[in-house]
Amino acid sequence: MNATPLVPLGSDRSIPQVGLGTWPLTDAEVAPVIVTAIEAGYRHLDTAVRYGNEIGVGQGIRDSGIARDELFVTTKLDGAYQGDDKAIAGLDDSLSRLGLDYVDLLLIHWPLPGRDLYVSTWKTFERLLAGGKARSVGVSNFKSTHLDRLLAETDIVPAVNQIELNPYVTRSAQREYNARHGIVTGSWSPLGQGNELLSEPLLGVLAEKYEKTPAQVVLRWHVELGLVVTPKSQTPARIRQNIDLFDFTLEPADVEAITALDRGPGAGVDSDVIGL
Ligand code: A2P
C-alpha cells in the first residue's frame, strides 16, 4: 500500500488527500466500517452533524485502537447551529458524540444564504479556531458569492471548501476561485454516489488501460486535480480499493477526457436554493 499524500492547509496543518466519506451510514453501520478503513490505511474520516452518525464514528475510532494524533477527523455543523454563537455549543455537542476533545476540521455545512447567518457563524468559527477545539475551519457548499463575503467581512480564510464534485459536476470556476484564494477544494460525492457515472464507457476503457477499476480511475482524476476526496463505501474490498490510488498516474489527455464528461453549469446542487 502506498501512503496517502498530505495536502497543506495553510499554517502548519495538512489533510490526507483521501478520506472516508460516511454519509448515509447509521451509527451502527459506520463503526465497523471505520475499523476496516483504518486497518486499510485511512487516516482521514469525514462526518457531519446532519449525517446522524458521529456517535458511531467515535465508536469506530475507539474500536480501531488508533492514536488520536494519527487521525484527521472532519465534522460539519448544520443550519441549526448558525448564528448567535450557537456553533460553540454545536461543536461541544459534536465532540461529545464523537468522544473527542478536538476535531481537525470543522465546516459550515451549507451557506443557507436565505437566512443570512453564515458571516456571523464564520466569526464564531474564528473564535473556535483560536480556542483549539477545531484545529482548522472551513466551509462546504459555498459559492464564490458566499466566499466573497467571508473574505471581505472576516479575518480568516477558510482552509477548505468541500463541494459536490465529480466528472459530471466538475466545478472548474469554483475550483479556480478556491485555488486563487488558497482554499483547498474537497470533493463530496466524488463517485457520483455510485450511480451511472461508474458505468460510463470511457471509464471502462480507462480502467482496462490502467488495470484499475472505474472507481479508482475517477478517484485518481480527483487526485490529479489536487482535490481532497472522501469516497463513501461500506464494502471492505471497495474501501481498500478506494485508497489504493498511488501506484499509477493518469495521462493529461485522459484527465481532460474525464473532465469532458461534465454535464454543464446546471449540474449538481445549487446551494443558493437548497441546504440543510
Ligand atoms: P457501497 O458503500 O455499497 O460500497 P460517493 O462517495 O460518490 O457518494 O459514492 C458512494 C457510493 O459508491 C456508494 O453507493 C458505494 O457503495 C459506491 N462505491 C464506493 N466505492 C466504490 C467502488 N470502488 N466501486 C463501485 N462502487 C463504489
Side-chain angles (χ1 to χ4, degrees), residues 218-233:
V218 171
L219 294 171
R220 183 70 211 187
W221 172 84
H222 290 270
V223 168
E224 303 284 357
L225 295 180
L227 306 166
V228 170
V229 64
T230 45
K232 172 267 174 184
S233 177

Side-chain angles (χ1 to χ4, degrees), residues 173-236:
Q174 191 63 57
R175 281 191 276 123
E176 280 160 27
Y177 177 104
N178 293 345
R180 200 162 58 246
H181 294 283
I183 301 168
V184 169
T185 301
S187 306
W188 65 256
S189 282
L191 298 171
Q193 296 181 10
N195 295 329
E196 76 259 37
L197 172 65
L198 295 180
S199 311
E200 277 288 338
L202 170 70
L203 297 176
V205 170
L206 294 177
E208 243 178 75
K209 172 174 170 180
Y210 291 103
E211 299 183 339
K212 293 285 174 181
T213 67
Q216 286 174 309
V217 170
V218 171
L219 294 171
R220 183 70 211 187
W221 172 84
H222 290 270
V223 168
E224 303 284 357
L225 295 180
L227 306 166
V228 170
V229 64
T230 45
K232 172 267 174 184
S233 177
Q234 62 198 112
T235 312

